[in-house]
Amino acid sequence: QVQLVESGGGSVQAGGSLRLSCAYSTYTSSTKCLGWFRQAPGKEREGVASIYTGAGSTYYADSVKGRFTIAQDNAKNTLYLQMNDLKPEDTAMYHCAAGFFCTVVAGAPKATGFRDWGQGTQVTVSS
């Protein structure tokens, strides 16, 4: 099981930037995918971005393409989500997750295959 702890959330104005971090424990070779998901009050969980731990292939939801970047630093056991040009609709609790494989449907990351989840970090964007 992989332990994950997110940080870096906060409140920003529209157009601003934040970088989320997710510190994870050492994982075995069965963990093939890391990802970021978000959930706003009253809405379903949404896949934001995911990355294959080996090949480094990345996937993004259409709503964040060109604005968000997912990256992994294996030396630091940290997953990042750089978020630029933030919009009020990006307001949500953001969770990182580790899983057996990356599931992508119509180009968007899905939660299928993710086993371990962090507690989340809140991002609030004001207009």
Side-chain angles (χ1 to χ4, degrees):
Q1 196 168 10
V2 182
Q3 281 76 47
L4 306 115
V5 180
E6 303 93 336
S7 62
S11 297
V12 296
Q13 290 189 327
S17 298
L18 283 174
R19 187 176 77 160
L20 305 184
S21 298
C22 173
Y24 52 82
S25 60
T26 301
Y27 53 77
T28 67
S29 58
S30 64
T31 297
K32 304 293 187 185
C33 189
L34 299 173
W36 287 98
F37 295 79
R38 66 187 181 187
Q39 188 165 21
K43 294 188 176 181
E44 293 186 356
R45 180 174 55 194
E46 175 189 21
V48 176
S50 59
I51 182 169
Y52 265 111
T53 57
S57 305
T58 57
Y59 308 92
Y60 296 93
D62 284 344
S63 58
V64 307
K65 280 181 182 176
R67 300 189 298 124
F68 291 12
T69 303
I70 188 171
Q72 181 186 12
D73 187 334
N74 283 323
K76 296 182 178 181
N77 275 23
T78 303
L79 180 72
Y80 299 101
L81 185 69
Q82 177 66 44
M83 307 186 294
N84 299 326
D85 190 22
L86 283 160
K87 304 176 180 181
E89 51 264 42
D90 295 318
T91 295
M93 182 70 77
Y94 284 71
H95 300 266
C96 62
F100 301 112
F101 49 86
C102 291
T103 299
V104 179
V105 176
K110 298 298 181 185
T112 304
F114 284 87
R115 179 189 64 185
D116 303 309
W117 295 80
Q119 292 299 307
T121 185
Q122 177 67 36
V123 172
T124 303
V125 185
S126 58
S127 58

Coordinates of all heavy atoms in Angstrom, one line a residue, residues 1-100:
Q1 N 0.8 -1.2 0.0 CA 0.0 0.0 0.0 C 0.9 1.2 0.0 O 1.9 1.3 0.7 CB -0.9 0.0 1.2 CG -2.0 1.0 1.2 CD -3.1 0.7 2.3 OE1 -2.8 0.0 3.2 NE2 -4.2 1.4 2.1
V2 N 0.5 2.3 -0.8 CA 1.3 3.5 -0.9 C 0.6 4.6 0.0 O -0.6 4.8 -0.1 CB 1.3 3.9 -2.4 CG1 2.2 5.2 -2.5 CG2 1.9 2.8 -3.2
Q3 N 1.4 5.2 0.8 CA 0.9 6.4 1.6 C 1.2 7.6 0.8 O 2.3 7.8 0.2 CB 1.6 6.5 2.9 CG 1.0 5.5 4.0 CD 1.5 4.1 3.7 OE1 2.7 3.8 3.5 NE2 0.6 3.1 3.8
L4 N 0.2 8.5 0.7 CA 0.3 9.7 0.0 C -0.2 10.9 0.8 O -1.2 10.8 1.5 CB -0.6 9.7 -1.3 CG -0.3 8.4 -2.2 CD1 -1.5 7.5 -2.3 CD2 0.1 8.9 -3.6
V5 N 0.6 12.0 0.8 CA 0.2 13.2 1.5 C 0.3 14.4 0.6 O 1.4 14.7 0.1 CB 1.1 13.4 2.7 CG1 0.7 14.6 3.5 CG2 1.0 12.2 3.7
E6 N -0.8 15.1 0.4 CA -0.8 16.3 -0.5 C -0.5 17.5 0.3 O -0.8 17.6 1.5 CB -2.2 16.4 -1.2 CG -2.6 15.2 -2.0 CD -3.5 14.3 -1.2 OE1 -3.4 14.3 0.1 OE2 -4.3 13.5 -1.8
S7 N 0.0 18.5 -0.4 CA 0.2 19.9 0.2 C 0.2 20.9 -1.0 O 0.2 20.5 -2.2 CB 1.5 19.9 0.9 OG 2.6 19.7 0.1
G8 N 0.2 22.1 -0.6 CA 0.3 23.2 -1.6 C -1.0 23.9 -2.0 O -1.0 24.8 -2.8
G9 N -2.1 23.4 -1.5 CA -3.4 24.1 -1.8 C -3.5 25.4 -1.2 O -2.6 25.8 -0.4
G10 N -4.5 26.2 -1.5 CA -4.7 27.5 -1.0 C -5.7 28.3 -1.7 O -6.5 27.7 -2.6
S11 N -5.8 29.6 -1.5 CA -6.8 30.4 -2.1 C -6.0 31.4 -3.0 O -5.1 32.1 -2.6 CB -7.6 31.2 -1.1 OG -8.3 30.4 -0.3
V12 N -6.5 31.5 -4.3 CA -5.9 32.4 -5.2 C -7.0 33.1 -6.0 O -8.1 32.6 -6.1 CB -4.9 31.7 -6.2 CG1 -3.7 31.1 -5.4 CG2 -5.6 30.6 -7.0
Q13 N -6.6 34.2 -6.7 CA -7.5 34.8 -7.6 C -7.4 34.2 -9.0 O -6.4 33.5 -9.3 CB -7.2 36.3 -7.7 CG -7.5 37.1 -6.4 CD -7.4 38.6 -6.6 OE1 -6.6 39.0 -7.4 NE2 -8.3 39.3 -5.9
A14 N -8.5 34.3 -9.8 CA -8.5 33.8 -11.1 C -7.3 34.3 -11.9 O -6.9 35.5 -11.8 CB -9.8 34.2 -11.8
G15 N -6.7 33.4 -12.7 CA -5.5 33.8 -13.4 C -4.2 33.5 -12.7 O -3.1 33.5 -13.3
G16 N -4.3 33.1 -11.4 CA -3.1 32.8 -10.6 C -2.7 31.4 -10.8 O -3.2 30.6 -11.6
S17 N -1.6 31.0 -10.0 CA -1.0 29.7 -10.1 C -0.8 29.1 -8.8 O -0.7 29.8 -7.8 CB 0.4 29.8 -10.8 OG 0.3 30.3 -12.1
L18 N -0.8 27.8 -8.7 CA -0.5 27.0 -7.5 C 0.3 25.8 -8.0 O 0.1 25.3 -9.1 CB -1.7 26.6 -6.8 CG -2.4 27.6 -5.9 CD1 -3.7 27.0 -5.4 CD2 -1.5 28.1 -4.8
R19 N 1.1 25.3 -7.1 CA 1.8 24.0 -7.4 C 1.4 23.0 -6.2 O 1.8 23.3 -5.1 CB 3.3 24.1 -7.5 CG 3.9 22.8 -8.0 CD 5.4 22.8 -8.3 NE 6.1 22.8 -7.0 CZ 7.4 22.5 -7.0 NH1 8.1 22.2 -8.1 NH2 8.1 22.6 -5.8
L20 N 0.7 22.0 -6.5 CA 0.4 21.0 -5.5 C 1.5 19.9 -5.5 O 2.1 19.6 -6.6 CB -0.9 20.3 -5.9 CG -2.1 21.2 -6.0 CD1 -3.4 20.3 -6.3 CD2 -2.3 22.1 -4.9
S21 N 1.8 19.4 -4.3 CA 2.8 18.4 -4.1 C 2.1 17.2 -3.5 O 1.2 17.3 -2.7 CB 4.0 18.9 -3.3 OG 4.6 19.9 -3.9
C22 N 2.6 16.0 -3.8 CA 2.1 14.8 -3.2 C 3.3 13.9 -2.8 O 4.0 13.4 -3.7 CB 1.2 14.0 -4.1 SG 0.7 12.4 -3.6
A23 N 3.6 13.9 -1.6 CA 4.7 13.0 -1.1 C 4.2 11.6 -0.9 O 3.2 11.4 -0.3 CB 5.3 13.5 0.2
Y24 N 4.9 10.6 -1.6 CA 4.4 9.2 -1.5 C 5.5 8.3 -1.0 O 6.7 8.6 -1.1 CB 3.9 8.8 -2.9 CG 4.9 9.0 -4.0 CD1 5.9 8.0 -4.2 CD2 4.8 10.0 -4.9 CE1 6.8 8.2 -5.3 CE2 5.7 10.2 -6.0 CZ 6.7 9.3 -6.1 OH 7.6 9.5 -7.2
S25 N 5.1 7.3 -0.3 CA 6.0 6.3 0.2 C 6.5 5.4 -1.0 O 5.9 5.4 -2.1 CB 5.3 5.4 1.2 OG 4.2 4.7 0.6
T26 N 7.6 4.8 -0.8 CA 8.2 3.9 -1.8 C 7.2 2.9 -2.2 O 6.5 2.2 -1.4 CB 9.5 3.2 -1.3 OG1 10.4 4.2 -0.9 CG2 10.1 2.3 -2.4
Y27 N 7.0 2.7 -3.5 CA 6.0 1.7 -4.0 C 6.7 0.6 -4.8 O 7.8 0.7 -5.2 CB 5.0 2.4 -4.9 CG 5.5 3.2 -6.1 CD1 6.0 2.6 -7.2 CD2 5.6 4.6 -6.0 CE1 6.5 3.4 -8.3 CE2 6.0 5.4 -7.0 CZ 6.5 4.8 -8.2 OH 7.0 5.5 -9.2
T28 N 6.0 -0.5 -4.9 CA 6.5 -1.7 -5.6 C 6.3 -1.5 -7.1 O 5.6 -0.6 -7.6 CB 5.9 -3.0 -5.1 OG1 4.5 -2.9 -5.5 CG2 6.0 -3.1 -3.6
S29 N 6.8 -2.5 -7.9 CA 6.6 -2.4 -9.3 C 5.2 -2.6 -9.8 O 4.8 -2.4 -10.9 CB 7.5 -3.5 -10.0 OG 7.1 -4.8 -9.5
S30 N 4.3 -3.0 -8.9 CA 2.9 -3.2 -9.2 C 2.2 -1.8 -9.4 O 1.1 -1.7 -10.0 CB 2.2 -4.0 -8.2 OG 2.1 -3.3 -6.9
T31 N 2.8 -0.8 -8.8 CA 2.2 0.6 -9.0 C 2.7 1.1 -10.3 O 3.9 1.4 -10.5 CB 2.6 1.5 -7.8 OG1 2.1 0.9 -6.6 CG2 2.1 2.9 -8.0
K32 N 1.8 1.3 -11.2 CA 2.2 1.8 -12.6 C 1.7 3.2 -12.9 O 2.2 3.8 -13.8 CB 1.6 0.9 -13.6 CG 1.9 -0.6 -13.5 CD 3.4 -0.9 -13.7 CE 3.7 -2.4 -13.7 NZ 5.1 -2.7 -13.8
C33 N 0.8 3.7 -12.1 CA 0.2 5.0 -12.4 C 0.0 5.9 -11.2 O -0.4 5.4 -10.1 CB -1.1 4.8 -13.1 SG -1.9 6.2 -13.8
L34 N 0.3 7.2 -11.3 CA 0.0 8.2 -10.3 C -0.9 9.2 -10.9 O -0.8 9.5 -12.1 CB 1.3 8.8 -9.8 CG 2.3 7.9 -9.1 CD1 3.6 8.7 -8.9 CD2 1.8 7.3 -7.9
G35 N -1.8 9.8 -10.1 CA -2.7 10.7 -10.7 C -3.2 11.7 -9.7 O -3.0 11.6 -8.5
W36 N -3.8 12.8 -10.3 CA -4.5 13.8 -9.5 C -6.0 13.8 -9.9 O -6.4 13.7 -11.0 CB -3.9 15.2 -9.8 CG -2.6 15.4 -9.2 CD1 -1.4 15.3 -9.9 CD2 -2.3 15.9 -7.9 NE1 -0.4 15.6 -9.0 CE2 -0.9 16.0 -7.8 CE3 -3.1 16.2 -6.8 CZ2 -0.3 16.4 -6.6 CZ3 -2.5 16.6 -5.6 CH2 -1.1 16.7 -5.5
F37 N -6.8 13.9 -8.8 CA -8.3 13.9 -9.0 C -8.8 15.1 -8.2 O -8.1 15.5 -7.2 CB -8.9 12.6 -8.6 CG -8.5 11.4 -9.4 CD1 -7.3 10.8 -9.2 CD2 -9.3 11.0 -10.4 CE1 -6.9 9.7 -10.0 CE2 -9.0 9.9 -11.2 CZ -7.7 9.3 -11.0
R38 N -10.0 15.6 -8.5 CA -10.6 16.6 -7.7 C -12.1 16.4 -7.6 O -12.7 15.7 -8.4 CB -10.3 18.0 -8.4 CG -11.0 18.2 -9.7 CD -10.5 19.5 -10.3 NE -11.2 19.8 -11.6 CZ -10.8 20.8 -12.4 NH1 -9.9 21.6 -12.1 NH2 -11.5 21.0 -13.6
Q39 N -12.6 17.0 -6.5 CA -14.0 16.9 -6.2 C -14.5 18.2 -5.6 O -14.0 18.6 -4.6 CB -14.4 15.7 -5.4 CG -15.8 15.4 -5.2 CD -16.1 14.0 -4.7 OE1 -15.3 13.4 -4.0 NE2 -17.4 13.6 -4.9
A40 N -15.5 18.8 -6.3 CA -16.1 20.0 -5.7 C -17.4 19.6 -5.0 O -18.0 18.5 -5.3 CB -16.4 21.0 -6.9
P41 N -17.8 20.4 -4.1 CA -19.1 20.1 -3.3 C -20.2 19.9 -4.3 O -20.5 20.7 -5.2 CB -19.3 21.3 -2.5 CG -17.9 21.9 -2.3 CD -17.2 21.6 -3.6
G42 N -20.9 18.8 -4.1 CA -22.1 18.5 -4.9 C -21.8 17.9 -6.3 O -22.7 17.7 -7.1
K43 N -20.5 17.7 -6.6 CA -20.1 17.2 -7.9 C -19.4 15.9 -7.8 O -18.9 15.5 -6.7 CB -19.2 18.2 -8.6 CG -19.9 19.5 -9.0 CD -19.1 20.4 -9.9 CE -19.8 21.7 -10.3 NZ -19.0 22.5 -11.2
E44 N -19.4 15.1 -8.9 CA -18.7 13.9 -8.9 C -17.1 14.1 -9.0 O -16.7 15.2 -9.4 CB -19.1 13.0 -10.1 CG -20.5 12.6 -10.0 CD -20.9 11.6 -11.1 OE1 -20.1 11.4 -12.0 OE2 -22.0 11.1 -11.1
R45 N -16.4 13.1 -8.5 CA -15.0 13.2 -8.6 C -14.5 13.2 -10.1 O -15.1 12.5 -10.9 CB -14.3 12.0 -7.9 CG -12.8 11.9 -7.9 CD -12.3 10.8 -7.1 NE -12.9 9.5 -7.5 CZ -12.8 8.4 -6.7 NH1 -12.2 8.5 -5.6 NH2 -13.4 7.3 -7.2
E46 N -13.6 14.0 -10.4 CA -13.1 14.2 -11.7 C -11.6 13.9 -11.8 O -10.8 14.4 -11.0 CB -13.4 15.6 -12.2 CG -12.8 16.0 -13.6 CD -13.0 17.5 -13.9 OE1 -13.1 18.3 -12.9 OE2 -12.9 17.8 -15.1
G47 N -11.2 13.2 -12.8 CA -9.8 12.9 -13.1 C -9.2 14.2 -13.7 O -9.8 14.7 -14.7
V48 N -8.1 14.6 -13.2 CA -7.4 15.8 -13.6 C -6.3 15.5 -14.5 O -6.2 16.0 -15.7 CB -7.0 16.7 -12.5 CG1 -6.2 17.9 -13.0 CG2 -8.2 17.1 -11.6
A49 N -5.4 14.7 -14.0 CA -4.2 14.3 -14.8 C -3.6 13.0 -14.2 O -3.8 12.7 -13.0 CB -3.1 15.4 -14.7
S50 N -2.9 12.3 -15.0 CA -2.3 11.0 -14.6 C -1.0 10.8 -15.4 O -0.8 11.4 -16.4 CB -3.2 9.8 -14.7 OG -3.6 9.6 -16.1
I51 N -0.1 10.0 -14.8 CA 1.2 9.7 -15.4 C 1.6 8.3 -15.1 O 1.5 7.8 -14.0 CB 2.2 10.7 -14.8 CG1 3.6 10.5 -15.5 CG2 2.3 10.6 -13.3 CD1 4.6 11.7 -15.2
Y52 N 2.1 7.7 -16.2 CA 2.6 6.3 -16.0 C 4.0 6.5 -15.4 O 4.8 7.2 -15.8 CB 2.8 5.6 -17.4 CG 1.6 4.8 -17.8 CD1 0.7 5.1 -18.8 CD2 1.4 3.6 -17.1 CE1 -0.4 4.3 -19.1 CE2 0.3 2.8 -17.4 CZ -0.6 3.2 -18.4 OH -1.6 2.4 -18.7
T53 N 4.2 5.7 -14.3 CA 5.4 5.8 -13.6 C 6.7 5.4 -14.3 O 7.8 5.9 -14.1 CB 5.4 5.0 -12.3 OG1 5.1 3.6 -12.6 CG2 4.3 5.5 -11.4
G54 N 6.5 4.5 -15.3 CA 7.7 4.0 -16.1 C 8.0 4.9 -17.3 O 9.0 5.6 -17.3
A55 N 7.0 4.9 -18.2 CA 7.2 5.6 -19.5 C 7.1 7.1 -19.3 O 7.6 7.8 -20.2 CB 6.3 5.0 -20.5
G56 N 6.4 7.5 -18.3 CA 6.2 9.0 -18.2 C 5.1 9.5 -19.0 O 4.9 10.8 -19.1
S57 N 4.3 8.7 -19.7 CA 3.2 9.2 -20.5 C 2.2 9.9 -19.6 O 1.9 9.5 -18.5 CB 2.5 8.0 -21.2 OG 3.4 7.3 -21.9
T58 N 1.7 11.0 -20.1 CA 0.7 11.8 -19.2 C -0.6 12.0 -19.9 O -0.7 11.9 -21.2 CB 1.3 13.2 -19.0 OG1 1.6 13.8 -20.2 CG2 2.6 13.1 -18.2
Y59 N -1.6 12.2 -19.1 CA -3.0 12.3 -19.6 C -3.7 13.4 -18.8 O -3.4 13.6 -17.6 CB -3.8 11.0 -19.5 CG -3.1 9.8 -20.0 CD1 -2.2 9.0 -19.3 CD2 -3.2 9.5 -21.4 CE1 -1.6 8.0 -19.8 CE2 -2.6 8.4 -21.9 CZ -1.7 7.7 -21.1 OH -1.1 6.6 -21.7
Y60 N -4.5 14.2 -19.5 CA -5.1 15.4 -18.9 C -6.6 15.4 -19.3 O -7.0 15.1 -20.4 CB -4.5 16.7 -19.3 CG -3.0 16.8 -18.9 CD1 -2.0 16.4 -19.8 CD2 -2.7 17.3 -17.7 CE1 -0.7 16.5 -19.4 CE2 -1.4 17.5 -17.3 CZ -0.4 17.1 -18.1 OH 0.9 17.2 -17.7
A61 N -7.4 15.9 -18.4 CA -8.8 16.2 -18.7 C -8.8 17.4 -19.6 O -7.9 18.3 -19.5 CB -9.5 16.6 -17.4
D62 N -9.7 17.5 -20.5 CA -9.8 18.6 -21.5 C -9.9 19.9 -20.8 O -9.4 20.9 -21.3 CB -11.1 18.4 -22.4 CG -10.9 17.3 -23.4 OD1 -9.7 16.9 -23.7 OD2 -11.9 16.9 -24.0
S63 N -10.5 20.0 -19.6 CA -10.7 21.2 -18.9 C -9.5 21.8 -18.4 O -9.4 23.0 -18.0 CB -11.7 21.0 -17.8 OG -11.2 20.0 -16.9
V64 N -8.4 21.0 -18.3 CA -7.1 21.6 -17.8 C -6.0 21.5 -18.7 O -4.9 22.0 -18.4 CB -6.7 20.8 -16.5 CG1 -7.9 20.8 -15.5 CG2 -6.3 19.4 -16.8
K65 N -6.2 21.0 -19.9 CA -5.1 20.9 -20.9 C -4.6 22.3 -21.2 O -5.3 23.2 -21.4 CB -5.6 20.2 -22.2 CG -5.7 18.7 -22.1 CD -6.2 18.1 -23.4 CE -6.3 16.6 -23.3 NZ -6.9 16.0 -24.5
G66 N -3.3 22.4 -21.3 CA -2.6 23.6 -21.6 C -2.4 24.5 -20.4 O -1.7 25.5 -20.4
R67 N -3.1 24.2 -19.2 CA -3.0 25.0 -18.0 C -2.3 24.2 -16.9 O -1.6 24.8 -16.1 CB -4.3 25.4 -17.6 CG -5.1 26.3 -18.6 CD -6.4 26.8 -17.9 NE -7.3 25.8 -17.5 CZ -7.8 25.7 -16.3 NH1 -7.4 26.5 -15.3 NH2 -8.7 24.7 -16.0
F68 N -2.5 22.9 -16.8 CA -2.0 22.1 -15.7 C -0.9 21.2 -16.3 O -1.0 20.7 -17.4 CB -3.0 21.2 -15.1 CG -4.1 22.0 -14.3 CD1 -4.2 23.4 -14.3 CD2 -5.0 21.3 -13.5 CE1 -5.1 24.0 -13.6 CE2 -5.9 21.9 -12.7 CZ -6.0 23.3 -12.8
T69 N 0.1 20.9 -15.4 CA 1.2 20.0 -15.8 C 1.4 19.0 -14.6 O 1.7 19.5 -13.5 CB 2.5 20.7 -16.2 OG1 2.2 21.6 -17.2 CG2 3.5 19.7 -16.6
I70 N 1.4 17.7 -14.9 CA 1.7 16.7 -13.9 C 3.2 16.3 -14.1 O 3.6 16.1 -15.3 CB 0.8 15.5 -14.0 CG1 1.0 14.5 -12.8 CG2 0.9 14.8 -15.4 CD1 -0.1 13.4 -12.8
A71 N 3.9 16.1 -13.0 CA 5.3 15.7 -13.1 C 5.6 14.8 -11.9 O 5.1 15.0 -10.8 CB 6.2 16.9 -13.2
Q72 N 6.6 13.9 -12.1 CA 7.0 13.0 -11.0 C 8.5 13.2 -10.8 O 9.3 13.2 -11.7 CB 6.7 11.6 -11.3 CG 7.1 10.6 -10.3 CD 6.9 9.2 -10.7 OE1 6.6 8.9 -11.9 NE2 6.9 8.2 -9.8
D73 N 8.9 13.3 -9.5 CA 10.3 13.4 -9.2 C 10.6 12.2 -8.3 O 10.3 12.1 -7.1 CB 10.6 14.7 -8.4 CG 12.1 14.9 -8.1 OD1 12.9 13.8 -8.1 OD2 12.6 16.0 -8.0
N74 N 11.2 11.1 -9.0 CA 11.4 9.9 -8.2 C 12.5 10.0 -7.1 O 12.4 9.4 -6.1 CB 11.9 8.8 -9.2 CG 10.7 8.3 -10.0 OD1 9.6 8.1 -9.5 ND2 11.0 8.0 -11.3
A75 N 13.4 10.9 -7.3 CA 14.5 11.1 -6.3 C 13.9 11.7 -5.0 O 14.4 11.4 -3.9 CB 15.5 12.1 -6.9
K76 N 12.8 12.4 -5.2 CA 12.2 13.0 -4.0 C 10.9 12.3 -3.6 O 10.2 12.7 -2.6 CB 11.9 14.5 -4.2 CG 13.1 15.3 -4.4 CD 12.7 16.8 -4.7 CE 14.0 17.7 -4.8 NZ 13.6 19.1 -5.0
N77 N 10.5 11.2 -4.3 CA 9.2 10.6 -4.0 C 8.1 11.6 -4.0 O 7.3 11.5 -3.0 CB 9.3 9.7 -2.7 CG 9.9 8.4 -2.9 OD1 10.7 8.2 -3.9 ND2 9.6 7.5 -2.1
T78 N 8.0 12.4 -5.0 CA 7.0 13.5 -5.0 C 6.4 13.6 -6.3 O 7.1 13.6 -7.4 CB 7.6 14.8 -4.6 OG1 8.2 14.7 -3.3 CG2 6.5 15.9 -4.5
L79 N 5.1 13.7 -6.3 CA 4.3 14.0 -7.5 C 3.8 15.4 -7.4 O 3.4 15.9 -6.4 CB 3.1 13.1 -7.6 CG 2.1 13.2 -8.7 CD1 2.8 12.7 -10.0 CD2 0.8 12.4 -8.5
Y80 N 3.9 16.1 -8.6 CA 3.5 17.5 -8.6 C 2.3 17.8 -9.6 O 2.1 17.0 -10.5 CB 4.7 18.4 -9.1 CG 5.9 18.3 -8.2 CD1 7.0 17.5 -8.6 CD2 5.9 19.0 -7.0 CE1 8.1 17.5 -7.7 CE2 7.1 19.0 -6.2 CZ 8.1 18.2 -6.6 OH 9.2 18.1 -5.8
L81 N 1.6 18.8 -9.3 CA 0.6 19.3 -10.3 C 0.8 20.8 -10.3 O 0.4 21.5 -9.4 CB -0.8 19.0 -9.9 CG -1.9 19.4 -10.9 CD1 -1.7 18.5 -12.2 CD2 -3.3 19.2 -10.3
Q82 N 1.4 21.3 -11.4 CA 1.5 22.7 -11.6 C 0.3 23.3 -12.2 O -0.1 22.8 -13.3 CB 2.7 23.0 -12.5 CG 2.9 24.5 -12.8 CD 3.3 25.3 -11.6 OE1 4.1 25.0 -10.8 NE2 2.6 26.5 -11.4
M83 N -0.4 24.2 -11.6 CA -1.7 24.7 -12.1 C -1.5 26.2 -12.4 O -1.2 27.0 -11.5 CB -2.8 24.5 -11.1 CG -2.9 23.1 -10.6 SD -4.3 22.8 -9.5 CE -3.8 23.8 -8.1
N84 N -1.7 26.6 -13.7 CA -1.6 27.9 -14.1 C -2.9 28.4 -14.7 O -3.8 27.6 -15.0 CB -0.5 28.1 -15.2 CG 0.9 27.7 -14.7 OD1 1.2 27.9 -13.6 ND2 1.7 27.1 -15.6
D85 N -3.1 29.7 -14.7 CA -4.3 30.3 -15.3 C -5.5 29.7 -14.6 O -6.4 29.3 -15.3 CB -4.3 30.2 -16.8 CG -5.5 31.0 -17.4 OD1 -5.9 31.9 -16.8 OD2 -5.9 30.6 -18.5
L86 N -5.5 29.7 -13.3 CA -6.6 29.1 -12.6 C -7.9 29.8 -12.8 O -7.9 31.0 -12.9 CB -6.2 29.0 -11.1 CG -5.2 27.9 -10.7 CD1 -4.6 28.1 -9.4 CD2 -6.0 26.5 -10.7
K87 N -9.0 29.0 -12.7 CA -10.3 29.6 -12.9 C -11.2 29.2 -11.7 O -10.9 28.2 -11.1 CB -10.9 29.0 -14.2 CG -10.1 29.2 -15.5 CD -10.7 28.6 -16.7 CE -9.8 28.8 -17.9 NZ -10.4 28.2 -19.1
P88 N -12.3 30.0 -11.5 CA -13.1 29.6 -10.4 C -13.6 28.2 -10.4 O -13.8 27.5 -9.4 CB -14.3 30.6 -10.5 CG -13.6 31.8 -11.1 CD -12.6 31.2 -12.1
E89 N -13.8 27.6 -11.6 CA -14.3 26.3 -11.8 C -13.3 25.2 -11.4 O -13.6 24.0 -11.3 CB -14.9 26.0 -13.2 CG -13.9 26.4 -14.3 CD -14.2 27.8 -14.8 OE1 -14.5 28.7 -14.0 OE2 -14.1 27.9 -16.1
D90 N -12.0 25.7 -11.1 CA -11.0 24.7 -10.7 C -11.1 24.5 -9.1 O -10.4 23.7 -8.6 CB -9.6 25.2 -11.0 CG -9.4 25.3 -12.5 OD1 -9.8 24.3 -13.2 OD2 -8.8 26.3 -13.0
T91 N -12.0 25.3 -8.5 CA -12.1 25.2 -7.0 C -12.6 23.8 -6.7 O -13.6 23.3 -7.2 CB -13.1 26.2 -6.5 OG1 -12.6 27.5 -6.7 CG2 -13.4 26.0 -5.0
A92 N -11.9 23.1 -5.8 CA -12.2 21.7 -5.4 C -11.2 21.2 -4.4 O -10.1 21.9 -4.2 CB -12.2 20.8 -6.6
M93 N -11.5 20.0 -3.8 CA -10.5 19.3 -3.1 C -9.7 18.4 -4.0 O -10.3 17.7 -4.8 CB -11.2 18.4 -2.0 CG -10.2 17.7 -1.1 SD -9.3 18.8 0.0 CE -10.6 19.1 1.2
Y94 N -8.4 18.5 -4.0 CA -7.5 17.8 -4.9 C -6.9 16.7 -4.2 O -6.3 16.8 -3.1 CB -6.5 18.7 -5.5 CG -7.0 19.6 -6.6 CD1 -7.9 20.7 -6.3 CD2 -6.7 19.4 -7.9 CE1 -8.4 21.5 -7.3 CE2 -7.2 20.2 -8.9 CZ -8.1 21.3 -8.6 OH -8.6 22.1 -9.6
H95 N -7.0 15.5 -4.7 CA -6.4 14.3 -4.2 C -5.4 13.7 -5.1 O -5.6 13.6 -6.3 CB -7.5 13.2 -3.9 CG -8.5 13.6 -3.0 ND1 -8.5 13.4 -1.6 CD2 -9.7 14.3 -3.2 CE1 -9.6 13.9 -1.0 NE2 -10.3 14.5 -1.9
C96 N -4.3 13.1 -4.6 CA -3.4 12.3 -5.4 C -3.7 10.9 -5.1 O -4.2 10.5 -4.1 CB -1.9 12.7 -5.2 SG -1.3 12.4 -3.6
A97 N -3.3 10.0 -6.1 CA -3.6 8.6 -6.0 C -2.6 7.8 -6.7 O -1.9 8.3 -7.6 CB -5.0 8.3 -6.5
A98 N -2.5 6.5 -6.2 CA -1.5 5.6 -6.8 C -2.3 4.3 -7.2 O -3.2 3.9 -6.5 CB -0.4 5.2 -5.9
G99 N -2.0 3.8 -8.4 CA -2.7 2.6 -8.8 C -1.9 1.7 -9.7 O -0.8 1.9 -10.0
F100 N -2.6 0.6 -10.1 CA -2.0 -0.5 -10.9 C -1.8 -0.1 -12.4 O -1.0 -0.6 -13.0 CB -2.8 -1.7 -10.8 CG -3.0 -2.2 -9.3 CD1 -4.3 -2.2 -8.7 CD2 -1.9 -2.7 -8.6 CE1 -4.4 -2.6 -7.4 CE2 -2.1 -3.1 -7.3 CZ -3.3 -3.1 -6.7

